[in-house]
C-alpha cells in the first residue's frame, strides 16, 4: 500500500534528494568511494558545500554581509549559542510555544529575559498581537513556526532591535526578508535535509559584541572564519541539503514553495472546517501552513483512536498529534504532495460517512 508521510520531523524530503544522496553514498561522483567515507576536506566535497551555501543565499536572497553556516547540534544547541553570542544584559522573547520556552530557558543562563508576550494562557493557539518590544534589549527572539501547536508568524516583524529567529520548521517555505534579521537558524530535519545538520544565517558585523569568553565551538566567529570547516561538519546531511536546495530552485524557488504550501493547507483546513467530526486547534489568522493540527469535535472524542486506526489503514503515517495538543497533526513541509493531502481528506470524508 502507498504510504503518505506526514511526520513532523525528521520528515518527508523530496524523493529526488533521497535518491541522489543514496547514490552518492554508494559511489561519490564516480570516485569508487562512498560519500560517507571521504574527508570533508576532499577536493570533491568543497564544491558541495560551496554550492549549498550559494543556493541558500540565492533562494532566500541573503544580502551581502551575512554568512551561511552548516553546523551540528540541532536548533536546540542554537538556543544556547544565540545568547552566548548576542546577549549582553537582557533579551526579549516572544513565547509562542514549547520551542520558544526552551529557547528562553537557555537564555536565562546568560542574562535577563523579558517575555514580550505569551499565548500560553490560550494553550498557544495563536500568535500574540499588539505587544511592543523594549528598545533597550540586546535582541528579540521569535519562533516563526510553532511545529507543535500549529501556529505561524506569516510575515517578518518590524522591530528596532536585533531580530533573531528559530525557523526550524518553515525555512524555505516562503520568501523571507533576511535583512530584517541578525540571525536565523533551524534544525534541517523538518524542511531541508537528513537529520544532523543545523543551518545558521548570521550577520557578520553583529558578532563579537558580547563581552564574554565563548568556547571555540560555540562562537559563531569560529565557523564564519573557517567556512563551517573548523571541525568535521555533517557531510551526508549537507549533501542531502544541497539536493533539496537544487530541487527547490528547479521547482520555482521559495515563491512557488509558498504557493504550494497555501494550496495544501487550504485543501486540508477546508475539510477540517466542513467535516462534522473535526475542528482545527489554531486561530484562523495564525494557522500554520506547515503543521496542520486538528482534534475531534465535542461528542466524537471516542472516535479519536478509531480514526487514527482507519487513517493508518489507508496509508497515513505520522498524523498523531503531539501529546501536548492531542488529536492529529498533518505536517506539510515543502516536499509534501497535494496527492497526499487529498488522500488524507478522502480518508476524513469516508470516516465521517461511516460514523
Ligand atoms: C524541531 C524543532 C526544534 C528542535 O530542533 P533540534 O534540531 O531537534 O534541536 C526547535 N525549534 C523548532 C521550531 C522545531 O520545530
Amino acid at each position: 500500500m502507498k504510504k503518505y508521510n506526514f511526520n513532523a520531523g525528521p520528515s518527508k524530503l523530496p524523493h529526488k534528494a533521497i535518491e541522489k544522496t543514496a547514490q552518492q553514498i554508494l559511489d561519490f561522483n564516480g570516485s569508487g568511494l562512498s560519500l560517507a567515507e571521504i574527508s570533508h576536506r576532499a577536493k570533491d566535497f568543497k564544491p558541495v558545500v560551496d554550492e549549498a551555501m550559494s543556493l541558500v543565499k540565492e533562494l532566500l536572497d541573503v544580502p551581502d554581509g551575512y554568512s551561511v553556516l552548516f553546523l551540528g547540534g540541532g536548533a536546540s544547541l542554537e538556543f544556547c549559542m544565540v545568547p552566548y553570542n548576542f546577549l549582553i544584559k537582557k533579551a526579549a522573547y516572544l513565547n509562542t510555544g514549547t520551542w520558544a520556552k526552551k529557547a528562553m530557558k537557555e537564555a536565562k543562563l546568560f542574562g535577563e529575559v523579558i517575555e514580550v508576550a505569551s499565548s500560553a494562557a490560550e494553550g498557544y493557539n495563536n500568535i500574540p498581537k499588539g505587544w511592543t518590544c523594549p528598545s533597550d534589549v540586546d535582541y528579540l527572539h521569535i519562533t516563526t513556526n510553532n511545529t507543535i501547536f500549529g501556529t505561524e508568524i506569516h510575515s517578518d516583524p518590524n522591530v528596532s532591535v536585533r531580530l533573531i529567529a528559530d525557523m526550524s520548521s518553515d525555512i524555505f517555505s516562503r520568501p523571507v526578508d533576511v535583512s530584517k534579521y541578525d540571525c536565523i537558524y533551524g534544525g534541517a530535519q523538518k524542511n531541508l535535509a537528513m537529520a544532523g545538520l543545523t543551518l545558521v544565517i548570521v550577520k557578520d558585523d553583529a558578532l563579537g559584541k558580547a563581552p564574554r569568553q565563548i568556547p571555540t565551538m560555540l562562537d559563531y566567529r569560529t565557523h564564519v572564519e573557517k567556512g563551517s570547516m573548523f571541525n568535521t561538519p555533517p557531510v551526508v546531511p549537507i549533501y542531502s541539503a544541497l539536493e533539496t536546495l537544487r530541487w527547490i530552485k528547479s521547482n520555482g524557488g521559495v515563491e512557488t514553495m509558498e504557493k504550494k504550501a497555501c494550496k495544501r493547507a487550504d485543501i486540508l483546513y477546508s475539510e477540517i472546517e466542513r467535516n462534522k467530526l473535526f475542528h482545527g486547534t489554531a486561530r484562523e489568522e495564525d494557522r500554520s501552513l506547515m503543521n496542520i493540527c486538528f482534534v475531534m469535535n465535542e461528542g466524537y472524542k471516542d472516535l479519536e483512536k478509531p480514526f487514527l486506526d482507519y487513517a493508518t489503514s489507508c496509508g497515513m503515517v505520522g498524523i498523531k498529534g503531539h501529546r501536548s495538543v492531542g488529536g492529529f497533526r498533518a505536517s506539510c513541509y515543502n516536499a509534501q504532495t497535494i496527492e497526499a493531502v487529498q488522500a488524507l481528506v478522502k480518508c476524513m470524508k469516508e470516516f465521517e460517512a461511516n460514523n
Side-chain angles (χ1 to χ4, degrees):
M1 183 189 38
K2 178 148 188 180
K3 293 271 168 83
Y4 297 101
N5 182 357
F6 289 96
N7 280 328
S11 42
K12 186 172 170 61
L13 290 170
H15 184 70
K16 200 158 172 211
I18 305 275
E19 202 172 60
K20 290 268 189 159
T21 307
Q23 281 166 5
Q24 300 282 39
I25 287 175
L26 295 174
D27 182 5
F28 181 58
N29 288 351
S31 64
L33 297 173
S34 167
L35 170 64
E37 297 174 330
I38 57 162
S39 166
H40 58 295
R41 303 193 193 279
K43 78 172 186 339
D44 279 16
F45 191 68
K46 187 161 187 311
V48 170
V49 177
D50 291 347
E51 186 185 343
M53 282 181 181
S54 73
L55 278 173
V56 169
K57 289 188 175 173
E58 181 184 336
L59 291 168
L60 291 179
D61 202 7
V62 177
D64 289 344
Y66 284 77
S67 296
V68 173
L69 309 177
F70 295 126
L71 309 178
S76 301
L77 185 59
E78 299 310 308
F79 294 164
C80 132
M81 280 178 77
V82 161
Y84 232 136
N85 285 265
F86 293 108
L87 203 161
I88 300 168
K89 276 212 175 72
K90 55 181 170 180
Y93 280 69
L94 181 62
N95 181 5
T96 51
T98 309
W99 296 115
K101 261 172 66 180
K102 289 192 178 185
M104 288 167 72
K105 175 168 178 256
E106 298 303 299
K108 284 175 186 161
L109 300 172
F110 299 87
E112 190 187 337
V113 169
I114 294 165
E115 188 181 78
V116 288
S118 167
S119 49
E122 298 94 56
Y124 295 117
N125 71 354
N126 68 89
I127 304 288
K129 313 277 178 330
W131 46 270
T132 49
C133 179
S135 57
D136 62 344
V137 295
D138 300 314
Y139 62 83
L140 169 70
H141 179 282
I142 60 171
T143 310
T144 52
N145 184 67
N146 297 284
T147 323
I148 292 176
F149 296 95
T151 61
E152 189 171 8
I153 298 173
H154 294 289
S155 59
D156 307 304
N158 292 311
V159 288
S160 59
V161 299
R162 293 187 197 290
L163 182 61
I164 297 182
D166 174 359
M167 296 196 184
S168 293
S169 52
D170 66 350
I171 196 152
F172 299 112
S173 71
R174 64 174 170 91
V176 169
D177 183 353
V178 176
S179 71
K180 286 187 176 175
Y181 299 85
D182 280 30
C183 181
I184 291 171
Y185 65 88
Q189 67 275 14
K190 312 267 162 61
N191 222 353
L192 179 62
M194 295 175 185
L197 174 65
T198 316
L199 173 68
V200 177
I201 302 171
V202 67
K203 191 173 187 176
D204 299 328
D205 72 11
L207 296 173
K209 307 276 194 277
R212 66 167 64 84
Q213 293 272 309
I214 305 176
T216 311
M217 273 297 283
L218 301 182
D219 189 333
Y220 287 123
R221 286 172 298 181
T222 303
H223 304 288
V224 170
E225 279 159 23
K226 298 287 181 188
S228 296
M229 287 288 179
F230 172 73
N231 70 325
T232 317
V235 170
V236 173
I238 289 175
Y239 187 85
S240 70
L242 169 63
E243 288 296 349
T244 304
L245 293 163
R246 284 176 173 166
W247 176 87
I248 295 172
K249 184 178 173 181
S250 68
N251 280 277
V254 290
E255 288 80 9
T256 309
M257 294 301 123
E258 185 177 37
K259 284 196 191 103
K260 285 169 69 179
C262 289
K263 192 163 173 206
R264 286 187 304 257
D266 194 41
I267 294 172
L268 197 43
Y269 282 124
S270 302
E271 173 60 15
I272 293 166
E273 277 164 20
R274 189 211 58 77
N275 195 304
K276 71 171 194 272
L277 302 178
F278 306 104
H279 69 269
T281 54
R283 215 176 267 173
E284 186 169 349
E285 70 271 21
D286 301 323
R287 294 191 302 207
S288 171
L289 302 180
M290 301 284 104
N291 308 97
I292 298 174
C293 297
F294 55 103
V295 294
M296 303 308 299
N297 274 331
E298 253 347 291
Y300 297 105
K301 298 270 182 229
D302 52 338
L303 289 178
E304 181 166 316
K305 174 86 172 48
F307 176 69
L308 184 63
D309 292 344
Y310 181 68
T312 305
S313 78
C314 301
M316 307 303 140
V317 176
I319 64 160
K320 192 169 169 27
H322 189 274
R323 63 189 175 281
S324 48
V325 181
F328 308 97
R329 170 175 56 174
S331 294
C332 297
Y333 303 118
N334 284 338
Q336 192 57 282
T337 59
I338 298 279
E339 183 204 346
V341 172
Q342 284 165 340
L344 176 56
V345 164
K346 179 163 176 275
C347 189
M348 292 161 78
K349 285 188 198 296
E350 285 166 2
F351 191 76
E352 180 190 34
N354 298 335
N355 288 279

